[in-house]
């Protein structure tokens, strides 16, 4: 294999789907993983089929299930090296902490946190032996800023940020770069099929019902303003192409850098008021 190789998890929709298409156009050999291989059609419809074998292979992977990794392992064995790993698979669980079950928290972490660890551990031996590689972890603005009604998602991304920071320091001496991509809100399925809300917080009997409704209404209203996911995909390609990733964090999207900067600068009391006012409290 003389092409650069990229693995993208969760490539059946959103950033992952668009990244699989874009990286193959840019001359990469793409290993596109997804839970349901029927969804590979979404990619196949949009790339040059006659050259597909040279550009892309699909592996059925549920990042929460270690037993589902065999096809990815086989492809890795055939290909023999990995230049870029994009840990993209993820979803968002909302709800108020008092009403989110432990199982709902665990399920959120299984995908957004432990899933990333599992796939990374599979790829690290290849990158370490090669003496190079890039690991791009899809975090979120929610990896730096907490928001009421979103603690499962936010805490999974905060955990991912802490883990990635340690990993970067551990593997940098082996020539491997680790970076966090921190998007704001972009138009993908994470706001529809990729979103779960703790059932209890949706019930009219919930003490959080009114505020949950306000948050949901705000999300719905803002949807049209969400960014074009290709912006994030272009950032991923640029990072993959860069000789060295000098930063750990790459925030992207409207208001994201300003939000992170503000949080780091203003006293907590003011920040808190600002966040609560955004949801009408
Ligand atoms: N869009 C945004 O505004 C935004 C902002 C910040 C961060 N992000 C992050 O970006 C990443 C991609 O999300 P997206 O916005 O592109 O949403 P999306 O369109 O819903 O795509 C999510 C992808 O993850 C896959 N996935 C979910 N659970 C999985 C599992 N257990 N194993 C394997 N694949 C799984 C989904 O597969 P199925 O088709 O099988 O469900 C889908 O391919 C996520 O990590 C998300 O947290 C998104």
């Amino acid at each position: 294999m003389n092409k650069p190789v990229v693995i993208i998890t969760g490539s059946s929709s959103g950033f992952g789907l668009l990244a699989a298409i874009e990286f193959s156009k840019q001359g990469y050999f793409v290993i596109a993983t997804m839970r349901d291989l029927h969804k590979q059609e979404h990619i196949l419809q949009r790339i040059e089929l006659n050259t597909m074998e040279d550009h892309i292979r699909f592996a059925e992977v549920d990042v929460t299930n270690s037993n589902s990794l065999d096809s990815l392992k086989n492809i890795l064995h055939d290909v023999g090296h990995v230049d870029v790993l994009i840990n993209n698979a993820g979803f968002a669980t909302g709800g108020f902490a008092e009403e989110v079950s432990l199982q709902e928290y665990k399920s959120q972490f299984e995908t957004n946190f432990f899933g990333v660890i599992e796939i990374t551990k599979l790829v690290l031996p290849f990158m370490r032996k090669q003496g190079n590689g890039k690991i791009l972890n899809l975090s979120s603005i929610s990896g730096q800023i907490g928001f009421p009604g979103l603690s499962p998602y936010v805490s999974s991304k905060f955990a991912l940020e802490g883990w990635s920071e340690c990993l970067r320091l551990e593997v940098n001496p082996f020539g491997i770069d680790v970076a966090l991509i921190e998007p704001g809100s972009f138009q993908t399925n994470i706001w529809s099929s990729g979103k779960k809300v703790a059932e209890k917080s949706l019930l009219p009997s919930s003490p959080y019902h009114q505020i949950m409704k306000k948050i949901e209404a705000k999300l719905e209203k803002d949807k049209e303003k969400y960014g074009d996911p290709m912006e994030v995909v272009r950032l991923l390609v640029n990072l993959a192409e860069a000789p060295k990733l000098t930063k750990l964090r790459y925030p992207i999207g409207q208001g994201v850098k300003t939000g992170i900067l503000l949080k780091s600068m203003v006293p907590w009391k003011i920040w808190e008021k600002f966040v609560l006012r955004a949801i009408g409290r």
Side-chain angles (χ1 to χ4, degrees):
M1 174 63 57
N2 49 13
K3 285 169 181 246
V5 175
V6 58
I7 301 178
I8 307 168
T9 65
S11 54
S12 64
S13 78
F15 297 141
L17 167 79
L18 295 170
I21 295 165
E22 190 58 26
F23 273 92
S24 84
K25 281 186 188 160
Q26 297 295 329
Y28 281 74
F29 181 79
V30 178
I31 304 175
T33 83
M34 58 188 74
R35 283 192 284 200
D36 176 0
L37 278 184
H38 292 106
K39 294 188 182 173
Q40 65 181 273
E41 276 308 313
H42 303 160
I43 297 178
L44 293 177
Q45 284 158 3
R46 294 163 71 172
I47 59 172
E48 297 280 337
L49 279 178
N50 52 351
T51 52
M52 191 194 91
E53 278 295 307
D54 300 335
H55 288 298
I56 195 156
R57 275 179 72 181
F58 297 97
E60 190 172 308
V61 172
D62 178 336
V63 299
T64 65
N65 179 2
S66 309
N67 297 327
S68 76
L69 299 180
D70 284 352
S71 58
L72 177 59
K73 284 180 187 164
N74 289 339
I75 298 175
L76 274 175
H77 186 260
D78 288 353
V79 174
H81 75 277
V82 187
D83 298 275
V84 184
L85 166 64
I86 303 180
N87 280 310
N88 166 74
F91 70 99
T93 299
F96 280 76
E98 187 183 343
E99 301 179 322
V100 178
S101 69
L102 205 54
Q103 193 44 51
E104 283 163 323
Y105 275 110
K106 283 182 179 172
S107 149
Q108 178 73 103
F109 271 71
E110 284 296 338
T111 298
N112 291 11
F113 182 57
F114 294 114
V116 173
I117 297 178
E118 174 103 67
I119 303 295
T120 304
K121 281 169 75 71
L122 197 65
V123 167
L124 274 176
F126 288 88
M127 291 186 170
R128 193 174 34 72
K129 278 181 205 138
Q130 290 159 202
N132 60 62
K134 293 197 179 98
I135 299 172
L136 306 179
N137 291 337
L138 259 294
S139 176
S140 167
I141 186 172
S142 300
Q144 293 228 45
I145 296 179
F147 203 74
L150 207 56
S151 68
Y153 185 62
V154 167
S155 50
S156 72
K157 294 296 188 184
F158 266 62
L160 177 64
E161 297 248 340
W163 182 76
S164 302
E165 189 171 325
C166 298
L167 182 69
R168 181 176 169 106
L169 298 169
E170 288 177 8
V171 298
N172 214 267
F174 296 102
I176 304 167
D177 284 332
V178 178
L180 288 154
I181 322 305
E182 299 174 329
S185 301
F186 286 84
Q187 290 178 5
T188 67
N189 289 348
I190 201 155
W191 307 106
S192 49
S193 55
K195 190 182 84 176
K196 294 188 171 54
V197 178
E199 274 177 30
K200 280 191 180 170
S201 294
L202 292 171
L203 297 175
S205 55
S206 159
Y208 302 97
H209 182 65
Q210 287 307 325
I211 187 69
M212 192 74 228
K213 262 177 43 186
K214 270 190 189 164
I215 293 173
E216 292 282 297
K218 182 166 166 44
L219 283 177
E220 198 52 45
K221 187 167 149 249
D222 289 350
K223 260 184 189 169
E224 277 170 23
K225 290 187 250 160
Y226 291 174
D228 175 359
M230 275 308 292
E231 246 186 82
V232 173
V233 171
R234 280 190 285 272
L235 171 64
L236 291 170
V237 173
N238 288 342
L239 296 179
E241 294 284 300
K244 192 97 196 96
L245 303 185
T246 49
K247 294 194 296 181
L248 168 65
R249 293 184 168 86
Y250 293 87
I252 178 167
Q254 204 186 7
V256 173
K257 283 184 188 156
T258 317
I260 292 170
L261 186 69
L262 266 181
K263 186 186 173 190
S264 71
M265 285 171 61
V266 302
W268 177 257
K269 239 163 79 176
I270 297 173
W271 175 255
E272 200 167 72
K273 273 194 188 141
F274 174 74
V275 174
L276 291 174
R277 195 170 303 151
I279 54 162
R281 279 214 140 174

